[in-house]
């Protein structure tokens, strides 16, 4: 898979309110943005698991997408005019990709534990990192991260629900597509305007599935409130941070940084879902951290000056 985001330009100056948020986020540096987004999305996923008995997997996704779309549209107030047909095509595909990625992932965690689900899902970005990279050393880093990913799953996924595994792998494919179209959207729209529009597309596309799957449970005030919390943690914050990061971070490096997600998910599972970490899981987390940092250092070696402050 070839992606234009390997030579992304530096992000343009970010305006003040309502764009003051992106300006503050941008001060973290691209690597910091990705890591902050990873923490937010995995703790949001853990919260979503606790919400599933109330609304079901499809209902949680629907609430998450709808609440995120409303928040982003209100905050960003994106312009609807002045965009080309290609711009709108990119936004629509990005929105459908987000809807598919979320729907498939929550179907997976409804059947298998959070840690293994994210472990399998991250194979999509890892594959992208190998295909997008032009240096052989990044294949080594991706391979090391892949070893850590499988160790985090205990080296054996045979005891998991096969349908849950299939959903997680499909979500990983959508995650790789999300990386590509997030980068393209970030280049075509200012601030997080493209993200807001894409989230609205995804929410509208997924709404029928939620209505059929959950019905009136979507109208319960407590469920709606919890769904809004999931939306902020799992969609609004991480997608905004990642979109900003992809304006300055090569896709191959970004994809390998995604290999940190299983470790973050394991931590979220431990703190929120009482899922303990084993010594093997700790070793796996160390491996993916080494792989991720190695990938960042490789990009710095290629003269990606925009990463200097993030890794020094």
């Amino acid at each position: 898979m070839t992606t234009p985001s390997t030579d992304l330009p530096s992000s343009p100056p970010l305006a003040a309110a309502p764009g003051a948020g992106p300006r503050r986020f941008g001060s973290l540096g691209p690597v910091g943005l990705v890591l902050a987004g990873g923490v937010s999305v995995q703790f949001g996923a853990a919260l979503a698991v606790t919400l599933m008995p109330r609304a079901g997997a499809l209902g949680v996704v629907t609430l998450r997408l709808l609440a995120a779309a409303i928040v982003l549209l209100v905050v960003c107030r994106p312009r609807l005019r002045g965009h080309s047909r290609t711009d709108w095509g990119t936004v629509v595909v990005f929105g459908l990709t987000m809807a598919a990625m979320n729907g498939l992932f929550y179907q997976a965690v409804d059947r298998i534990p959070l840690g293994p689900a994210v472990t399998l899902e991250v194979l999509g970005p890892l594959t992208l990192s190998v295909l997008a990279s032009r240096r052989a050393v990044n294949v080594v880093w991706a391979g090391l991260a892949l070893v850590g990913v499988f160790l985090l799953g205990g080296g054996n996924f045979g005891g998991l629900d096969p349908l849950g595994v299939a959903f997680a792998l499909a979500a990983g494919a959508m995650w790789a597509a999300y990386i590509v179209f997030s980068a393209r959207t970030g280049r075509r729209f200012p601030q997080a305007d493209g993200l807001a529009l894409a989230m609205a597309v995804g929410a509208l596309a997924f709404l029928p599935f939620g209505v059929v799957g959950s019905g009136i449970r979507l109208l319960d005030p407590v469920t709606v409130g919890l769904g809004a919390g999931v939306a902020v943690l799992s969609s609004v914050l991480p997608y905004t941070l990642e979109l900003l990061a992809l304006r300055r971070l090569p896709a191959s490096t970004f994809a390998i940084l995604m290999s940190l997600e299983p470790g973050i998910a394991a931590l979220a599972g431990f703190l929120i879902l009482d899922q303990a970490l084993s010594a093997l899981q700790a070793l796996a987390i160390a491996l993916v951290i080494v792989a991720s940092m190695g990938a960042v250092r490789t990009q710095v070696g290629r003269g990606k000056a925009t990463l200097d402050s993030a890794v020094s």
Side-chain angles (χ1 to χ4, degrees), residues 32-217:
L33 292 174
V34 175
L35 294 178
V39 170
S40 181
V41 74
Q42 295 308 330
F43 277 81
L47 177 61
V49 171
T50 67
L51 180 59
M52 283 183 184
R54 299 183 63 95
L58 295 177
V60 170
V61 176
T62 301
L63 290 172
R64 168 180 170 173
L65 292 175
L66 280 174
I70 292 171
V71 170
L72 286 171
L73 288 173
V74 170
V75 172
C76 297
R77 290 176 290 176
R79 290 188 300 108
L80 299 180
R81 296 182 180 181
H83 302 300
S84 69
R85 182 177 300 180
T86 302
D87 292 341
W88 282 111
T90 301
V91 159
V92 169
V93 175
F94 185 29
L96 295 177
T97 298
M98 283 194 293
M101 178 179 68
N102 282 288
L104 291 166
F105 177 72
Y106 282 103
Q107 287 295 319
V109 297
D110 195 33
R111 293 167 171 82
I112 61 178
L114 179 61
V118 178
T119 298
L120 289 166
E121 187 191 24
V122 83
L123 296 179
L126 281 172
T127 301
L128 175 63
S129 73
V130 175
L131 297 178
S133 174
R134 297 179 182 178
R135 297 198 64 184
V137 67
N138 279 330
V139 178
V140 176
W141 296 126
L144 183 61
L146 189 60
V147 171
V149 163
F150 277 104
L151 285 178
L152 192 63
N156 178 19
F157 294 98
L160 299 175
D161 183 301
L163 187 56
V165 170
F167 278 128
L169 292 173
M174 290 298 99
W175 195 354
Y178 159 80
I179 293 172
V180 173
F181 284 98
S182 179
R184 293 180 181 178
T185 300
R187 295 173 66 179
R188 291 184 173 275
F189 292 84
Q191 307 289 341
D193 287 9
L195 175 62
L197 294 171
M199 190 67 72
V201 169
L204 291 175
F206 204 87
L207 181 59
F209 297 97
V211 172
V212 171
S214 300
I216 61 173
R217 288 186 292 173

Side-chain angles (χ1 to χ4, degrees), residues 164 177 239 271:
Y239 290 168
L271 294 176

